[in-house]
Amino acid sequence: MENNVLIEVRALSKSFGELEVLKSVSVDIRKGEKVVIVGASGSGKSTLLRCLNCLEDPTGGEIIFENENLADPKVNINIHRQKMGMVFQQFNLFNNKNVLENIMLAPVTIRLKRLRTEKRRALFKKGDKPTETKEQILAEEREKAMKLLARIGLEDKAEVYPSTLSGGQKQRIAIVRALAMNPKVMLFDEPTSALDPEMVGEVLDLMKQLANEGMTMVIVTHEMGFAREVADRVLFMDGGVIAEQGTPAEVFGAPKSERLKAFLAKVL
Amino acid sequence: MYLEGLGNTLLIALIAAAIGIFIGVTMAMINYINKKTGKLKPAAAVCRFYITLVRGTPVVLQLMILYFVVFAFWDNGIMIGAITFGLNSGAYVAEIARSGFESVDDGQMEAGRSLGLSTWQTMRSIIIPQAVRNCLPPLFNEFIMLVKETAIVGYVGIYDLGKIPGLIQSRTFDYLFPLLIAAALYLVVVMALTRILHMIERNLAKSDRNRGGVRNGK
Ligand SMILES: Nc1ncnc2c1ncn2[C@@H]1O[C@H](COP(=O)(O)OP(=O)(O)OP(=O)(O)O)[C@@H](O)[C@H]1O
Ligand SMILES: [Mg+2]
Protein backbone atom coordinates (compact mmCIF):
# COMPACT_ATOMS: atom_id res chain seq x y z
CA MET A 1 0.00 0.00 0.00
CA GLU A 2 1.17 3.51 -0.72
CA ASN A 3 2.73 4.78 2.43
CA ASN A 4 1.16 8.22 2.51
CA VAL A 5 -2.44 7.08 2.10
CA LEU A 6 -4.27 7.03 5.43
CA ILE A 7 -7.72 5.86 4.36
CA GLU A 8 -8.35 4.05 1.14
CA VAL A 9 -11.97 3.75 0.11
CA ARG A 10 -12.59 1.13 -2.58
CA ALA A 11 -15.88 0.68 -4.38
CA LEU A 12 -17.84 1.63 -1.29
CA SER A 13 -21.58 1.24 -1.58
CA LYS A 14 -24.37 1.74 0.91
CA SER A 15 -28.09 1.14 0.63
CA PHE A 16 -30.85 1.79 3.10
CA GLY A 17 -33.28 -0.90 2.07
CA GLU A 18 -34.15 -0.17 -1.56
CA LEU A 19 -32.51 3.24 -1.53
CA GLU A 20 -28.99 3.15 -2.94
CA VAL A 21 -27.24 6.10 -1.31
CA LEU A 22 -23.58 5.43 -2.20
CA LYS A 23 -22.79 3.87 -5.57
CA SER A 24 -19.31 2.38 -5.64
CA VAL A 25 -17.35 5.34 -4.30
CA SER A 26 -13.55 5.15 -4.38
CA VAL A 27 -11.28 7.76 -2.88
CA ASP A 28 -7.93 7.98 -1.07
CA ILE A 29 -7.40 10.24 1.90
CA ARG A 30 -3.71 11.03 2.29
CA LYS A 31 -1.92 11.79 5.54
CA GLY A 32 -2.23 15.45 6.44
CA GLU A 33 -4.70 16.09 3.66
CA LYS A 34 -7.74 18.33 4.13
CA VAL A 35 -10.60 16.97 2.07
CA VAL A 36 -13.82 18.94 1.90
CA ILE A 37 -16.99 17.24 0.68
CA VAL A 38 -19.72 19.39 -0.83
CA GLY A 39 -22.94 18.55 -2.60
CA ALA A 40 -26.69 19.02 -2.53
CA SER A 41 -28.82 17.71 0.34
CA GLY A 42 -29.35 13.97 0.07
CA SER A 43 -26.38 13.39 -2.22
CA GLY A 44 -24.79 11.03 0.33
CA LYS A 45 -22.15 13.26 1.98
CA SER A 46 -22.97 12.30 5.56
CA THR A 47 -23.37 8.67 4.63
CA LEU A 48 -19.90 8.59 3.04
CA LEU A 49 -18.37 10.25 6.09
CA ARG A 50 -20.20 7.95 8.50
CA CYS A 51 -19.11 4.88 6.55
CA LEU A 52 -15.46 5.87 7.04
CA ASN A 53 -15.66 4.95 10.73
CA CYS A 54 -18.47 2.43 10.19
CA LEU A 55 -21.13 4.38 12.07
CA GLU A 56 -23.04 3.18 9.03
CA ASP A 57 -22.17 -0.34 7.97
CA PRO A 58 -21.22 -0.32 4.27
CA THR A 59 -23.21 -2.74 2.14
CA GLY A 60 -20.27 -3.25 -0.21
CA GLY A 61 -16.66 -2.32 -0.84
CA GLU A 62 -13.69 -1.76 1.41
CA ILE A 63 -12.32 0.89 3.72
CA ILE A 64 -8.62 0.28 4.30
CA PHE A 65 -7.22 2.02 7.38
CA GLU A 66 -3.88 0.94 8.82
CA ASN A 67 -3.81 -2.15 6.65
CA GLU A 68 -7.17 -3.39 7.85
CA ASN A 69 -10.50 -3.43 6.07
CA LEU A 70 -12.92 -1.69 8.42
CA ALA A 71 -15.89 -2.90 6.39
CA ASP A 72 -15.04 -6.44 7.47
CA PRO A 73 -17.36 -7.29 10.39
CA LYS A 74 -14.60 -9.37 11.99
CA VAL A 75 -12.36 -6.34 12.49
CA ASN A 76 -12.51 -4.78 15.97
CA ILE A 77 -13.90 -1.45 14.90
CA ASN A 78 -13.59 0.13 18.36
CA ILE A 79 -9.80 0.12 18.20
CA HIS A 80 -9.83 1.93 14.86
CA ARG A 81 -12.50 4.41 15.87
CA GLN A 82 -10.24 5.52 18.69
CA LYS A 83 -7.95 6.91 16.00
CA MET A 84 -10.73 8.55 13.98
CA GLY A 85 -12.27 11.54 15.71
CA MET A 86 -15.77 12.51 14.67
CA VAL A 87 -17.58 15.82 15.09
CA PHE A 88 -21.34 15.99 14.62
CA GLN A 89 -23.68 18.72 13.52
CA GLN A 90 -25.60 18.39 16.80
CA PHE A 91 -22.43 18.34 18.97
CA ASN A 92 -23.60 15.26 20.89
CA LEU A 93 -21.85 16.12 24.13
CA PHE A 94 -22.76 13.62 26.86
CA ASN A 95 -25.64 15.29 28.72
CA ASN A 96 -25.05 13.49 32.01
CA LYS A 97 -21.37 14.41 32.20
CA ASN A 98 -19.75 17.75 32.85
CA VAL A 99 -17.32 19.22 30.37
CA LEU A 100 -14.20 17.72 31.91
CA GLU A 101 -15.86 14.29 32.19
CA ASN A 102 -16.97 14.56 28.57
CA ILE A 103 -13.37 14.92 27.48
CA MET A 104 -11.93 12.35 29.88
CA LEU A 105 -14.54 9.61 29.57
CA ALA A 106 -13.34 7.75 26.48
CA PRO A 107 -9.56 7.84 27.13
CA VAL A 108 -10.02 6.95 30.79
CA THR A 109 -12.52 4.15 30.11
CA ILE A 110 -10.32 2.64 27.44
CA ARG A 111 -7.05 2.93 29.38
CA LEU A 112 -8.59 1.52 32.56
CA LYS A 113 -9.98 -1.41 30.62
CA ARG A 114 -6.53 -2.06 29.17
CA LEU A 115 -5.05 -1.80 32.66
CA ARG A 116 -7.48 -4.39 34.00
CA THR A 117 -6.65 -6.73 31.13
CA GLU A 118 -2.92 -6.34 31.75
CA LYS A 119 -3.35 -6.97 35.46
CA ARG A 120 -5.30 -10.12 34.74
CA ARG A 121 -2.66 -11.34 32.33
CA ALA A 122 0.09 -10.60 34.83
CA LEU A 123 -1.83 -12.57 37.42
CA PHE A 124 -1.79 -15.60 35.17
CA LYS A 125 1.88 -14.99 34.30
CA LYS A 126 1.06 -14.25 30.69
CA GLY A 127 2.52 -10.77 30.69
CA ASP A 128 4.43 -8.18 32.67
CA LYS A 129 2.89 -6.27 35.51
CA PRO A 130 1.42 -2.98 34.28
CA THR A 131 3.65 -0.04 35.11
CA GLU A 132 0.89 2.53 35.47
CA THR A 133 -1.81 2.78 38.10
CA LYS A 134 -5.41 3.88 37.96
CA GLU A 135 -4.54 7.08 39.79
CA GLN A 136 -1.81 7.93 37.29
CA ILE A 137 -4.16 7.39 34.37
CA LEU A 138 -6.82 9.61 35.92
CA ALA A 139 -4.30 12.34 36.76
CA GLU A 140 -2.75 12.24 33.29
CA GLU A 141 -6.06 12.37 31.49
CA ARG A 142 -7.31 15.16 33.70
CA GLU A 143 -4.21 17.18 32.95
CA LYS A 144 -4.55 16.49 29.23
CA ALA A 145 -8.23 17.46 29.31
CA MET A 146 -7.45 20.70 31.14
CA LYS A 147 -4.77 21.53 28.58
CA LEU A 148 -7.26 20.96 25.78
CA LEU A 149 -9.76 23.19 27.55
CA ALA A 150 -7.10 25.85 28.03
CA ARG A 151 -6.41 25.69 24.34
CA ILE A 152 -9.96 26.75 23.57
CA GLY A 153 -10.07 29.14 26.51
CA LEU A 154 -12.78 27.26 28.40
CA GLU A 155 -10.93 26.07 31.53
CA ASP A 156 -13.52 27.83 33.68
CA LYS A 157 -16.23 25.61 32.18
CA ALA A 158 -14.61 22.34 33.27
CA GLU A 159 -17.23 21.57 35.94
CA VAL A 160 -20.21 22.82 33.99
CA TYR A 161 -22.85 20.68 32.26
CA PRO A 162 -23.36 20.91 28.49
CA SER A 163 -26.91 22.29 28.72
CA THR A 164 -25.56 25.58 30.08
CA LEU A 165 -23.17 26.19 27.15
CA SER A 166 -23.61 28.07 23.89
CA GLY A 167 -23.57 26.14 20.63
CA GLY A 168 -20.12 27.41 19.72
CA GLN A 169 -18.73 26.37 23.09
CA LYS A 170 -20.35 22.94 22.79
CA GLN A 171 -18.89 22.33 19.36
CA ARG A 172 -15.39 23.42 20.36
CA ILE A 173 -15.58 21.09 23.35
CA ALA A 174 -16.81 18.29 21.09
CA ILE A 175 -13.77 18.87 18.89
CA VAL A 176 -11.27 18.72 21.76
CA ARG A 177 -13.11 15.71 23.18
CA ALA A 178 -12.27 13.93 19.93
CA LEU A 179 -8.69 15.25 20.08
CA ALA A 180 -8.26 13.72 23.54
CA MET A 181 -8.00 10.33 21.83
CA ASN A 182 -5.03 11.57 19.75
CA PRO A 183 -6.76 10.65 16.49
CA LYS A 184 -4.96 10.30 13.18
CA VAL A 185 -7.86 11.77 11.27
CA MET A 186 -10.80 13.99 12.14
CA LEU A 187 -14.17 13.62 10.44
CA PHE A 188 -16.53 16.61 10.53
CA ASP A 189 -20.18 16.40 9.47
CA GLU A 190 -21.46 19.95 8.99
CA PRO A 191 -19.89 21.14 12.24
CA THR A 192 -21.25 24.68 11.94
CA SER A 193 -24.70 24.08 10.46
CA ALA A 194 -26.51 24.07 13.80
CA LEU A 195 -24.79 27.22 15.06
CA ASP A 196 -26.00 30.79 15.28
CA PRO A 197 -24.10 32.83 12.69
CA GLU A 198 -22.05 34.71 15.27
CA MET A 199 -20.60 31.43 16.59
CA VAL A 200 -19.56 29.92 13.29
CA GLY A 201 -16.27 31.83 13.29
CA GLU A 202 -14.92 30.46 16.58
CA VAL A 203 -15.48 26.88 15.45
CA LEU A 204 -13.98 27.42 12.01
CA ASP A 205 -10.96 29.13 13.62
CA LEU A 206 -10.32 26.07 15.77
CA MET A 207 -10.62 23.85 12.70
CA LYS A 208 -8.14 26.05 10.83
CA GLN A 209 -5.69 25.72 13.72
CA LEU A 210 -6.00 21.94 13.49
CA ALA A 211 -5.46 22.10 9.76
CA ASN A 212 -2.32 24.17 10.21
CA GLU A 213 -0.97 21.66 12.70
CA GLY A 214 -1.12 19.03 10.00
CA MET A 215 -4.17 17.05 11.12
CA THR A 216 -5.76 14.91 8.43
CA MET A 217 -9.31 16.16 8.05
CA VAL A 218 -12.40 15.13 6.12
CA ILE A 219 -15.04 17.82 6.32
CA VAL A 220 -18.61 17.96 5.05
CA THR A 221 -19.61 21.61 5.02
CA HIS A 222 -21.63 24.29 3.31
CA GLU A 223 -19.05 26.95 4.27
CA MET A 224 -17.60 27.51 0.82
CA GLY A 225 -15.27 30.26 2.01
CA PHE A 226 -13.75 27.89 4.53
CA ALA A 227 -13.46 25.17 1.89
CA ARG A 228 -11.58 27.50 -0.46
CA GLU A 229 -9.20 28.53 2.28
CA VAL A 230 -8.45 25.22 3.95
CA ALA A 231 -9.11 22.40 1.48
CA ASP A 232 -6.36 20.60 -0.40
CA ARG A 233 -9.05 18.84 -2.37
CA VAL A 234 -12.77 19.32 -2.80
CA LEU A 235 -15.10 16.41 -3.59
CA PHE A 236 -18.43 17.23 -5.19
CA MET A 237 -20.97 14.52 -4.48
CA ASP A 238 -24.04 14.06 -6.59
CA GLY A 239 -26.50 11.15 -6.51
CA GLY A 240 -24.25 8.86 -4.47
CA VAL A 241 -21.07 9.27 -6.51
CA ILE A 242 -18.14 11.67 -6.46
CA ALA A 243 -19.13 13.57 -9.57
CA GLU A 244 -16.15 15.87 -9.68
CA GLN A 245 -13.05 16.58 -7.62
CA GLY A 246 -9.99 18.77 -7.59
CA THR A 247 -8.31 21.69 -5.85
CA PRO A 248 -10.62 24.44 -4.62
CA ALA A 249 -9.49 26.57 -7.55
CA GLU A 250 -10.48 23.85 -10.01
CA VAL A 251 -13.80 22.95 -8.43
CA PHE A 252 -14.97 26.45 -7.58
CA GLY A 253 -13.15 28.33 -10.36
CA ALA A 254 -13.52 26.01 -13.31
CA PRO A 255 -16.37 23.55 -12.73
CA LYS A 256 -16.73 21.09 -15.61
CA SER A 257 -20.05 19.33 -15.10
CA GLU A 258 -23.42 21.04 -15.43
CA ARG A 259 -24.52 19.64 -12.06
CA LEU A 260 -21.59 21.26 -10.27
CA LYS A 261 -22.19 24.55 -12.05
CA ALA A 262 -25.84 24.46 -11.01
CA PHE A 263 -24.88 23.58 -7.43
CA LEU A 264 -22.34 26.39 -7.22
CA ALA A 265 -24.79 28.87 -8.68
CA LYS A 266 -27.11 28.04 -5.81
CA VAL A 267 -24.66 28.16 -2.92
CA LEU A 268 -22.18 30.89 -3.88
CA MET B 1 -49.72 -6.90 64.70
CA TYR B 2 -50.41 -4.02 62.34
CA LEU B 3 -46.75 -3.10 62.49
CA GLU B 4 -45.65 -6.58 61.57
CA GLY B 5 -48.10 -6.54 58.69
CA LEU B 6 -46.87 -3.15 57.61
CA GLY B 7 -43.27 -4.35 57.81
CA ASN B 8 -44.06 -7.36 55.64
CA THR B 9 -45.89 -5.17 53.14
CA LEU B 10 -42.92 -2.86 52.77
CA LEU B 11 -40.46 -5.75 52.73
CA ILE B 12 -42.35 -7.49 49.94
CA ALA B 13 -42.65 -4.25 48.00
CA LEU B 14 -38.94 -3.45 48.38
CA ILE B 15 -37.68 -6.86 47.31
CA ALA B 16 -40.23 -6.94 44.50
CA ALA B 17 -39.12 -3.49 43.35
CA ALA B 18 -35.48 -4.57 43.30
CA ILE B 19 -36.31 -7.66 41.25
CA GLY B 20 -38.68 -5.68 39.04
CA ILE B 21 -36.15 -2.96 38.30
CA PHE B 22 -33.45 -5.51 37.56
CA ILE B 23 -35.67 -7.49 35.17
CA GLY B 24 -37.34 -4.46 33.65
CA VAL B 25 -34.18 -2.47 32.98
CA THR B 26 -32.42 -5.54 31.62
CA MET B 27 -35.27 -6.25 29.23
CA ALA B 28 -35.49 -2.62 28.13
CA MET B 29 -31.74 -2.65 27.54
CA ILE B 30 -31.91 -5.80 25.44
CA ASN B 31 -34.69 -4.20 23.42
CA TYR B 32 -32.65 -0.99 22.98
CA ILE B 33 -29.44 -2.74 21.93
CA ASN B 34 -31.42 -4.92 19.55
CA LYS B 35 -32.95 -1.84 18.00
CA LYS B 36 -29.63 -0.02 17.68
CA THR B 37 -27.44 -2.89 16.46
CA GLY B 38 -29.79 -5.62 15.26
CA LYS B 39 -28.05 -8.07 17.57
CA LEU B 40 -29.90 -9.92 20.38
CA LYS B 41 -32.99 -10.63 18.22
CA PRO B 42 -33.97 -13.89 19.99
CA ALA B 43 -33.49 -12.32 23.42
CA ALA B 44 -35.67 -9.37 22.43
CA ALA B 45 -38.40 -11.75 21.21
CA VAL B 46 -38.31 -13.62 24.54
CA CYS B 47 -38.67 -10.31 26.39
CA ARG B 48 -41.68 -9.32 24.30
CA PHE B 49 -43.32 -12.67 24.97
CA TYR B 50 -42.66 -12.34 28.70
CA ILE B 51 -44.15 -8.86 28.83
CA THR B 52 -47.25 -9.94 26.92
CA LEU B 53 -47.72 -12.99 29.13
CA VAL B 54 -47.30 -11.16 32.43
CA ARG B 55 -49.39 -8.15 31.50
CA GLY B 56 -52.09 -10.31 29.98
CA THR B 57 -52.85 -12.33 33.12
CA PRO B 58 -54.11 -11.25 36.57
CA VAL B 59 -51.46 -11.00 39.26
CA VAL B 60 -53.63 -13.02 41.67
CA LEU B 61 -53.39 -15.98 39.31
CA GLN B 62 -49.65 -15.52 38.95
CA LEU B 63 -49.31 -15.48 42.73
CA MET B 64 -51.35 -18.64 43.12
CA ILE B 65 -49.45 -20.44 40.40
CA LEU B 66 -46.12 -19.57 41.97
CA TYR B 67 -47.27 -20.27 45.50
CA PHE B 68 -49.19 -23.48 45.00
CA VAL B 69 -47.39 -24.95 42.00
CA VAL B 70 -43.92 -23.64 41.22
CA PHE B 71 -42.76 -23.08 44.79
CA ALA B 72 -45.07 -25.65 46.39
CA PHE B 73 -42.06 -27.12 48.22
CA TRP B 74 -41.13 -23.79 49.78
CA ASP B 75 -43.00 -22.29 52.72
CA ASN B 76 -41.45 -18.82 52.74
CA GLY B 77 -44.57 -16.96 51.73
CA ILE B 78 -43.02 -13.53 51.97
CA MET B 79 -40.23 -14.39 49.53
CA ILE B 80 -42.66 -16.06 47.14
CA GLY B 81 -44.86 -12.99 47.31
CA ALA B 82 -41.86 -10.75 46.66
CA ILE B 83 -40.70 -12.88 43.74
CA THR B 84 -44.17 -12.93 42.19
CA PHE B 85 -44.55 -9.21 42.40
CA GLY B 86 -40.99 -8.72 41.24
CA LEU B 87 -41.57 -10.84 38.15
CA ASN B 88 -44.88 -9.08 37.59
CA SER B 89 -43.59 -5.59 38.05
CA GLY B 90 -40.58 -6.37 35.84
CA ALA B 91 -42.93 -6.43 32.85
CA TYR B 92 -44.34 -3.02 33.74
CA VAL B 93 -40.94 -1.55 34.58
CA ALA B 94 -39.72 -2.80 31.19
CA GLU B 95 -42.31 -0.60 29.49
CA ILE B 96 -41.40 2.39 31.66
CA ALA B 97 -37.69 1.84 31.05
CA ARG B 98 -38.26 1.38 27.33
CA SER B 99 -39.66 4.89 27.07
CA GLY B 100 -36.75 6.05 29.22
CA PHE B 101 -34.26 4.59 26.77
CA GLU B 102 -36.17 5.97 23.81
CA SER B 103 -36.01 9.46 25.27
CA VAL B 104 -32.20 9.38 25.12
CA ASP B 105 -30.98 11.14 22.00
CA ASP B 106 -29.52 8.81 19.33
CA GLY B 107 -26.51 11.10 19.05
CA GLN B 108 -25.37 10.07 22.53
CA MET B 109 -24.71 6.49 21.46
CA GLU B 110 -23.12 7.62 18.21
CA ALA B 111 -20.79 9.98 20.03
CA GLY B 112 -19.71 7.23 22.41
CA ARG B 113 -19.14 4.74 19.62
CA SER B 114 -17.30 7.28 17.48
CA LEU B 115 -14.79 7.76 20.30
CA GLY B 116 -14.06 4.04 20.26
CA LEU B 117 -16.15 3.01 23.26
CA SER B 118 -18.00 -0.28 22.90
CA THR B 119 -21.79 -0.46 22.91
CA TRP B 120 -21.75 -1.73 26.48
CA GLN B 121 -19.29 0.93 27.71
CA THR B 122 -21.49 3.62 26.19
CA MET B 123 -24.63 2.06 27.67
CA ARG B 124 -23.10 1.95 31.12
CA SER B 125 -21.66 5.47 31.30
CA ILE B 126 -24.04 7.43 29.10
CA ILE B 127 -27.28 5.76 28.06
CA ILE B 128 -28.40 3.97 31.22
CA PRO B 129 -27.85 6.92 33.58
CA GLN B 130 -29.83 9.20 31.26
CA ALA B 131 -32.58 6.64 30.70
CA VAL B 132 -32.99 5.96 34.42
CA ARG B 133 -33.01 9.65 35.20
CA ASN B 134 -35.70 10.23 32.57
CA CYS B 135 -38.00 7.65 34.09
CA LEU B 136 -37.37 8.03 37.82
CA PRO B 137 -40.83 9.49 38.56
CA PRO B 138 -42.82 6.73 36.80
CA LEU B 139 -40.51 4.11 38.35
CA PHE B 140 -41.19 5.43 41.81
CA ASN B 141 -44.88 5.52 40.99
CA GLU B 142 -44.66 1.84 40.11
CA PHE B 143 -43.19 1.25 43.57
CA ILE B 144 -46.17 2.98 45.19
CA MET B 145 -48.49 0.75 43.17
CA LEU B 146 -46.53 -2.25 44.41
CA VAL B 147 -47.02 -1.26 48.03
CA LYS B 148 -50.78 -1.25 47.51
CA GLU B 149 -51.06 -4.26 45.22
CA THR B 150 -49.07 -6.53 47.48
CA ALA B 151 -52.11 -6.53 49.79
CA ILE B 152 -53.36 -9.55 47.87
CA VAL B 153 -50.61 -11.78 49.25
CA GLY B 154 -53.13 -12.35 52.02
CA TYR B 155 -54.79 -14.77 49.58
CA VAL B 156 -51.97 -17.20 50.11
CA GLY B 157 -51.84 -16.76 53.84
CA ILE B 158 -49.08 -14.23 54.36
CA TYR B 159 -49.64 -11.70 57.09
CA ASP B 160 -49.17 -8.40 55.41
CA LEU B 161 -51.02 -5.26 56.28
CA GLY B 162 -54.05 -6.12 54.14
CA LYS B 163 -54.52 -9.45 55.88
CA ILE B 164 -54.48 -8.23 59.46
CA PRO B 165 -58.08 -6.87 59.59
CA GLY B 166 -59.50 -10.24 58.61
CA LEU B 167 -57.42 -11.83 61.30
CA ILE B 168 -58.53 -9.46 64.01
CA GLN B 169 -62.11 -9.60 62.88
CA SER B 170 -62.11 -13.38 63.18
CA ARG B 171 -61.24 -12.94 66.82
CA THR B 172 -63.32 -9.91 67.75
CA PHE B 173 -66.16 -10.00 65.18
CA ASP B 174 -65.60 -6.32 64.59
CA TYR B 175 -65.52 -5.63 60.85
CA LEU B 176 -65.27 -1.94 60.36
CA PHE B 177 -62.62 -0.81 62.76
CA PRO B 178 -59.71 -3.08 61.71
CA LEU B 179 -60.38 -2.34 58.06
CA LEU B 180 -60.35 1.36 58.76
CA ILE B 181 -57.05 1.13 60.59
CA ALA B 182 -55.47 -0.84 57.77
CA ALA B 183 -56.81 1.64 55.23
CA ALA B 184 -55.44 4.52 57.28
CA LEU B 185 -52.02 2.89 57.50
CA TYR B 186 -51.91 2.30 53.74
CA LEU B 187 -52.97 5.87 53.20
CA VAL B 188 -50.22 7.23 55.45
CA VAL B 189 -47.54 5.13 53.76
CA VAL B 190 -48.70 5.96 50.26
CA MET B 191 -48.98 9.66 51.08
CA ALA B 192 -45.46 9.65 52.50
CA LEU B 193 -44.14 7.90 49.40
CA THR B 194 -46.01 10.34 47.17
CA ARG B 195 -44.34 13.21 49.01
CA ILE B 196 -40.98 11.63 48.26
CA LEU B 197 -41.99 11.26 44.61
CA HIS B 198 -42.78 14.96 44.39
CA MET B 199 -39.46 15.79 46.00
CA ILE B 200 -37.67 13.68 43.39
CA GLU B 201 -39.56 15.44 40.60
CA ARG B 202 -38.75 18.87 42.00
CA ASN B 203 -35.08 18.00 42.38
CA LEU B 204 -34.85 16.69 38.82
CA ALA B 205 -36.47 19.85 37.49
CA LYS B 206 -34.14 22.00 39.56
CA SER B 207 -30.97 20.22 38.48
CA ASP B 208 -32.19 20.50 34.88
CA ARG B 209 -32.41 24.24 35.31
CA ASN B 210 -29.05 24.81 36.96
CA ARG B 211 -26.94 21.91 35.87
CA GLY B 212 -24.13 24.42 36.17
CA GLY B 213 -23.88 24.12 39.94
CA VAL B 214 -25.18 20.65 40.64
CA ARG B 215 -23.09 17.56 40.08
CA ASN B 216 -24.98 14.37 39.63
CA GLY B 217 -23.12 11.25 40.57
CA LYS B 218 -19.56 10.78 39.46
N1 LIG C 1 -30.63 5.82 8.44
C1 LIG C 1 -31.19 6.04 7.24
N2 LIG C 1 -32.23 5.30 6.84
C2 LIG C 1 -32.81 5.50 5.63
N3 LIG C 1 -32.39 6.42 4.74
C3 LIG C 1 -31.36 7.21 5.09
C4 LIG C 1 -30.70 7.06 6.35
N4 LIG C 1 -29.70 7.97 6.41
C5 LIG C 1 -29.74 8.65 5.26
N5 LIG C 1 -30.73 8.20 4.45
C6 LIG C 1 -31.04 8.70 3.11
O1 LIG C 1 -29.86 8.65 2.35
C7 LIG C 1 -29.77 9.77 1.48
C8 LIG C 1 -28.44 10.46 1.67
O2 LIG C 1 -28.38 10.95 2.98
P1 LIG C 1 -27.15 11.77 3.54
O3 LIG C 1 -27.47 12.10 4.94
O4 LIG C 1 -25.89 11.05 3.26
O5 LIG C 1 -27.18 13.09 2.64
P2 LIG C 1 -26.34 14.40 2.80
O6 LIG C 1 -25.62 14.58 1.52
O7 LIG C 1 -25.54 14.35 4.04
O8 LIG C 1 -27.46 15.51 2.91
P3 LIG C 1 -27.56 16.78 3.88
O9 LIG C 1 -26.81 17.89 3.19
O10 LIG C 1 -29.03 17.06 3.92
O11 LIG C 1 -26.99 16.41 5.18
C9 LIG C 1 -30.96 10.64 1.79
O12 LIG C 1 -31.94 10.40 0.82
C10 LIG C 1 -31.44 10.15 3.11
O13 LIG C 1 -32.84 10.28 3.24
MG1 LIG D 1 -25.66 15.30 5.97
mmCIF file of all heavy atoms in Angstrom, chain A residues 45-46 89 189-190 220, ligand 2:
data_model
loop_
_atom_site.group_PDB
_atom_site.id
_atom_site.type_symbol
_atom_site.label_atom_id
_atom_site.label_comp_id
_atom_site.label_asym_id
_atom_site.label_seq_id
_atom_site.Cartn_x
_atom_site.Cartn_y
_atom_site.Cartn_z
ATOM 1 N N LYS A 45 -23.362 12.765 1.320
ATOM 2 C CA LYS A 45 -22.148 13.263 1.981
ATOM 3 C C LYS A 45 -22.000 12.674 3.384
ATOM 4 O O LYS A 45 -20.955 12.117 3.726
ATOM 5 C CB LYS A 45 -22.170 14.802 2.092
ATOM 6 C CG LYS A 45 -22.401 15.516 0.780
ATOM 7 C CD LYS A 45 -22.392 17.014 0.973
ATOM 8 C CE LYS A 45 -23.519 17.564 1.844
ATOM 9 N NZ LYS A 45 -24.853 17.476 1.230
ATOM 10 N N SER A 46 -23.047 12.818 4.185
ATOM 11 C CA SER A 46 -22.970 12.304 5.557
ATOM 12 C C SER A 46 -22.763 10.798 5.549
ATOM 13 O O SER A 46 -21.986 10.264 6.341
ATOM 14 C CB SER A 46 -24.255 12.617 6.323
ATOM 15 O OG SER A 46 -24.430 13.997 6.413
ATOM 16 N N GLN A 89 -22.935 17.467 13.643
ATOM 17 C CA GLN A 89 -23.683 18.721 13.517
ATOM 18 C C GLN A 89 -24.329 19.107 14.854
ATOM 19 O O GLN A 89 -24.317 20.263 15.246
ATOM 20 C CB GLN A 89 -24.761 18.525 12.442
ATOM 21 C CG GLN A 89 -25.533 19.762 12.112
ATOM 22 C CD GLN A 89 -26.482 19.525 10.938
ATOM 23 O OE1 GLN A 89 -26.406 18.521 10.236
ATOM 24 N NE2 GLN A 89 -27.372 20.457 10.719
ATOM 25 N N ASP A 189 -18.941 16.387 10.258
ATOM 26 C CA ASP A 189 -20.178 16.401 9.473
ATOM 27 C C ASP A 189 -20.939 17.702 9.747
ATOM 28 O O ASP A 189 -21.635 17.819 10.750
ATOM 29 C CB ASP A 189 -21.053 15.186 9.818
ATOM 30 C CG ASP A 189 -22.198 15.030 8.830
ATOM 31 O OD1 ASP A 189 -22.294 15.859 7.894
ATOM 32 O OD2 ASP A 189 -22.996 14.092 8.985
ATOM 33 N N GLU A 190 -20.806 18.639 8.865
ATOM 34 C CA GLU A 190 -21.457 19.949 8.994
ATOM 35 C C GLU A 190 -21.333 20.517 10.403
ATOM 36 O O GLU A 190 -22.337 20.773 11.069
ATOM 37 C CB GLU A 190 -22.930 19.839 8.593
ATOM 38 C CG GLU A 190 -23.098 19.330 7.171
ATOM 39 C CD GLU A 190 -24.479 19.628 6.612
ATOM 40 O OE1 GLU A 190 -25.103 20.595 7.067
ATOM 41 O OE2 GLU A 190 -24.914 18.887 5.716
ATOM 42 N N VAL A 220 -17.408 17.652 5.827
ATOM 43 C CA VAL A 220 -18.608 17.960 5.053
ATOM 44 C C VAL A 220 -19.069 19.333 5.502
ATOM 45 O O VAL A 220 -19.263 19.559 6.706
ATOM 46 C CB VAL A 220 -19.725 16.935 5.321
ATOM 47 C CG1 VAL A 220 -21.006 17.351 4.610
ATOM 48 C CG2 VAL A 220 -19.297 15.547 4.880
HETATM 49 MG MG MG C 2 -25.657 15.303 5.968
#
